[in-house]
Amino acid sequence: MKDIVFTRRSGWIPNVIREDGQLKLMLGAGADANHDPRTFTFPIEESHLAVIREDLARHLLLWSAVLPLCDAAGTRGELDESAAVALLDPILLAAPAEVDALFQRVRWYEARLIAHGADIDLLERGQVYAAMHAATEQANDKRAQEYHVTRRRAERGVVLGPLDTGILRYTGQYLHGSTIPRRLPDAVDPELLPRVMEVIATAEQACAGMRIGLDPRRGKRGTDKRDWDRMAAAVDAAVRAAHPELVEDAVRTVSFLMCSEAASRARNTPVEDDDDLGGPAGKTALSFTDDKDGEKKWLRDGSRTASAEFWEFVADRYAGNNEVFTIEDEEMGEGIQLHLYADSIARITTVRPGEAGSEPEYRVEYSLVDGIGDYRKLVSAFVSGGCAALEQHGPWMSDHAEFERARRQRNAG
């Protein structure tokens, strides 16, 4: 039989229950192996209950000191009841100086105290009891998060100025630097917002006209890392030059905002818009293949472009062991082979078709490729005008050994 004897309005603060005639403190902490919350109890006396009822500060101090014991119990272990009981008198019944001394010896969760209004300056000076003079029953977890974020930055040697803070709040990156940045003007002090917008305007001007394309090697919604890096570098350089007082965290979040917005635009742009049809002289029928016997036919029926269909084929089929893709015009006897693992391409033309059982003769020429954007140009050029249209995108090397030397030289550089 379990009866609740005392509880506060905030449900997470430990309750006092009576179970089989015994007073116990009950709290939820951690989770079990199935990710369900765990509940712990340990016995207390009537004298402890009296203090818990009347003194919110001591109640919270006890909670912050018991939580590490709950963590130590893990997903299946038992609470160290003796250690928990040993905290009761020193926290609930002892003089303030003895409370402070105890908190110098045991583990405790400062985040819980900060969330409930603890004076941070006093906590950092070791005056834990006095720090709780303005304790609140309602928690402000954001306050605790901001404290720990500030401390982590300080450990890295980062101290934010008002403009740095404004920029991080504007992008939603003040608390969580790994989240996708957004534009949140209402999160910034109105007096500071015009200065923040000057920085954003500098970034927008720096990347005007730049774009981040899709990279099917990274899936249907994957974007080109090289495009991202180029845009980030341009924004970083411009912002640093115009606003040298900004710390690295602020500069990085601005470039992150510009790049993530450009990447989002790329993901929401129809693939056909990234393609060059090349007019009426373009191909009318093509075959796409990969290194794993995958094949897809494309006919110019007006529904989708060859490039769009091809890159979708790559996105669906690309893998670590499937990185070579071919586009072939069987009627014209020509094609291109993309070596996506090596940033290179081969154009293949039929010199002599096979006759009377003989093997056909092909001319194979190789060229280096500068990332997925270059691949897209080459594919569009081939779709538009075949191998002849690729001539301007050379140089093309028919000697494979010469090509391999050029590729190694590029990679070494």
Side-chain angles (χ1 to χ4, degrees):
M1 185 70 178
K2 181 189 299 182
D3 297 314
I4 295 179
V5 176
F6 175 73
T7 185
R8 296 188 182 274
R9 291 193 304 274
S10 178
W12 284 103
I13 300 177
N15 300 322
V16 177
I17 65 170
R18 193 180 301 276
E19 187 173 40
D20 297 329
Q22 171 71 61
L23 280 178
K24 293 183 179 181
L25 195 73
M26 181 177 71
L27 69 156
D32 62 20
N34 295 319
H35 306 290
D36 293 324
R38 296 200 69 188
T39 300
F40 300 92
T41 63
F42 60 96
I44 65 172
E45 302 295 335
E46 291 287 349
S47 58
H48 303 137
L49 171 60
V51 176
I52 288 171
R53 283 184 185 276
E54 301 300 326
D55 196 329
L56 172 64
R58 288 186 185 256
H59 191 181
L60 294 171
L61 287 168
L62 177 62
W63 186 22
S64 75
V66 173
L67 282 172
L69 299 178
C70 297
D71 279 353
T75 60
R76 292 191 179 91
E78 297 295 325
L79 179 71
D80 186 341
E81 191 173 289
S82 297
V85 170
L87 295 170
L88 292 170
D89 286 0
I91 293 176
L92 297 179
L93 305 179
E98 294 179 48
V99 174
D100 289 346
L102 173 72
F103 275 74
Q104 296 295 319
R105 301 192 305 269
V106 300
R107 287 184 60 209
W108 51 286
Y109 280 3
E110 62 185 7
R112 278 295 91 220
L113 302 185
I114 293 171
H116 285 272
D119 185 305
I120 292 173
D121 289 337
L122 292 176
L123 277 185
E124 291 180 339
R125 292 203 295 267
Q127 296 174 254
V128 180
Y129 184 87
M132 301 303 294
H133 67 90
T136 60
E137 188 169 321
Q138 194 63 38
N140 180 357
D141 290 323
K142 186 176 180 181
R143 182 173 186 258
Q145 289 176 331
E146 291 194 355
Y147 169 74
H148 282 289
V149 165
T150 300
R151 191 169 71 174
R152 285 197 298 272
R153 288 195 178 105
E155 290 170 353
R156 294 189 285 117
V158 176
V159 179
L160 300 180
L163 184 56
D164 300 309
T165 300
I167 290 170
L168 290 169
R169 291 192 185 283
Y170 177 84
T171 59
Q173 298 269 298
Y174 184 80
L175 290 180
H176 305 291
S178 61
T179 58
I180 297 175
R182 297 169 291 162
R183 297 185 183 235
L184 303 169
D186 291 344
V188 183
D189 184 332
E191 294 183 2
L192 186 62
L193 185 58
R195 293 181 60 200
V196 171
M197 296 312 298
E198 287 179 14
V199 178
I200 299 300
T202 299
E204 290 172 335
Q205 292 168 9
C207 63
M210 301 181 73
R211 62 190 294 273
I212 294 177
L214 295 176
D215 186 345
R217 296 172 297 184
R218 301 163 69 90
K220 289 188 176 181
R221 292 176 59 80
T223 52
D224 187 352
K225 185 178 184 301
R226 291 191 185 188
D227 285 350
W228 181 293
D229 291 343
R230 279 192 287 264
M231 182 177 289
V235 172
D236 280 5
V239 171
R240 290 181 200 280
H243 306 278
E245 74 279 13
L246 294 177
V247 301
E248 173 68 19
D249 288 23
V251 175
R252 187 172 60 248
T253 197
V254 174
S255 63
F256 191 10
L257 174 67
M258 297 298 114
C259 291
S260 63
E261 288 181 341
S264 179
R265 288 192 293 272
R267 295 187 185 103
N268 292 311
T269 299
V271 177
E272 285 80 1
D273 290 354
D274 190 42
D275 185 40
D276 180 10
L277 286 173
K283 299 292 187 180
T284 58
L286 294 170
S287 176
F288 310 145
T289 57
D290 62 14
D291 240 8
K292 296 294 181 183
D293 300 323
E295 184 173 4
K296 184 175 185 178
K297 299 289 186 181
W298 172 82
L299 297 175
R300 188 174 186 178
D301 58 6
S303 58
R304 298 189 72 195
T305 67
S307 294
E309 292 276 3
F310 172 72
W311 289 118
E312 183 176 272
F313 177 71
V314 174
D316 288 337
R317 302 281 301 173
Y318 181 86
N321 61 351
N322 193 28
E323 301 175 295
V324 177
F325 290 81
T326 301
I327 307 176
E328 184 179 2
D329 183 338
E330 297 176 1
E331 182 178 350
M332 296 296 295
E334 61 180 2
I336 54 174
Q337 188 175 73
L338 285 62
H339 313 132
L340 297 177
Y341 64 93
D343 274 351
S344 64
I345 190 171
R347 65 174 178 176
I348 306 163
T349 53
T350 302
V351 176
R352 179 180 57 80
E355 295 177 354
S358 65
E359 292 293 326
E361 181 182 346
Y362 300 106
R363 180 171 64 250
V364 182
E365 300 167 291
Y366 304 92
S367 185
L368 300 175
V369 179
D370 184 19
I372 197 68
D374 211 9
Y375 274 125
R376 287 188 179 277
K377 292 177 184 177
L378 291 163
V379 168
S380 280
F382 178 77
V383 169
S384 300
C387 283
L390 297 174
E391 190 63 36
Q392 61 180 314
H393 298 283
W396 295 91
M397 292 163 270
S398 57
D399 186 330
H400 189 266
E402 177 189 358
F403 166 69
E404 283 298 323
R405 285 194 296 272
R407 188 167 67 86
R408 286 195 296 269
Q409 184 177 1
R410 178 196 62 184
N411 293 344

